[in-house]
Amino acid sequence: MKKNDEYYMNLALEEAIKAKEIGEVPIGAVIVLNGEVIASAYNLRETTQNAVTHAELLAIQEACQKLGTWRLEGAELYVTLEPCPMCSGAIILSRVGRVIYGAKDPKAGCAGTLMNLLEDERFNHQCEVCSGVLEQECGQVLSHFFKQLRARKKAEKIKKRELGQKEQLE
């Protein structure tokens, strides 16, 4: 079977689901070199309380360790959400050859939405960018997660209000 962008994006979606299962923002990343998955990761920012533990950065770190080099030339990075400025910088600096992402990020997307750092010719390295691979599926995982999060926070707020009213009556 010839593996294509959808195949690898489905693997990234599996990583995103792992994040969702532990209460993390469901973003997953997979790095492929010569048709072989060399790294995979998902967001751990809430778990680690560390701003730099994004899926892309964790996958880049794993790939560099596996290959014994910081240069990921020829590698492809599949990620369920468009990379942010921090991740885009790491992608450029690690020399990833191609970035494939699912859902656009209207708040922080730096692979075409707010700006396109990855293809900016002012840098000494540019990445080929392919957007919208399994966009609907990637977007659904994120919107469902945030819908549940908002509902949970609303329920907690109501419960606190009710407890406060109960205490005032006593």
Side-chain angles (χ1 to χ4, degrees):
M1 171 185 131
K2 181 167 180 354
K3 297 172 183 168
N4 59 17
D5 288 345
E6 287 81 14
Y7 173 84
Y8 294 113
M9 188 60 74
N10 272 311
L11 296 179
L13 272 165
E14 288 175 17
E15 292 297 313
I17 299 304
K18 291 176 189 175
K20 181 182 175 191
E21 288 171 353
I22 62 168
E24 288 284 347
V25 176
I27 300 168
V30 171
I31 298 179
V32 176
L33 183 63
N34 302 320
E36 177 191 344
V37 174
I38 59 168
S40 59
Y42 51 86
N43 264 21
L44 286 174
R45 190 169 63 175
E46 295 301 321
T47 302
T48 63
Q49 288 299 298
N50 184 334
V52 301
T53 52
H54 286 200
E56 300 96 318
L57 296 183
L58 294 170
I60 288 169
Q61 184 175 5
E62 182 182 324
C64 290
Q65 287 173 343
K66 183 171 185 176
L67 297 176
T69 180
W70 60 269
R71 296 175 194 266
L72 300 178
E73 292 163 338
E76 298 174 307
L77 185 143
Y78 292 82
V79 62
T80 55
L81 183 66
E82 181 179 3
C84 71
M86 173 179 66
C87 293
S88 294
I91 290 164
I92 292 166
L93 293 173
S94 64
R95 310 290 197 266
V96 169
R98 183 168 177 251
V99 173
I100 304 90
Y101 71 86
K104 291 184 182 308
D105 185 350
K107 294 181 179 179
C110 285
T113 299
L114 296 179
M115 63 185 66
N116 191 342
L117 291 176
L118 298 178
E119 294 180 315
D120 191 319
E121 293 183 4
R122 294 174 293 178
F123 292 113
N124 67 339
H125 176 77
Q126 293 81 42
C127 303
E128 179 187 337
V129 175
C130 178
S131 63
V133 175
L134 300 182
E135 182 173 10
Q136 188 173 356
E137 293 88 335
C138 293
Q140 277 182 321
V141 169
L142 283 159
S143 24
H144 185 257
F145 173 81
F146 284 112
K147 187 177 182 180
Q148 285 183 319
L149 184 65
R150 284 190 296 274
R152 190 168 60 245
K153 285 187 175 186
K154 185 177 179 180
E156 288 170 4
K157 195 174 185 180
I158 290 168
K159 191 173 184 176
K160 276 185 182 177
R161 192 177 320 128
E162 289 171 352
L163 285 173
Q165 289 171 349
K166 186 179 175 184
E167 287 174 1
Q168 285 178 349
L169 293 173
E170 293 174 350

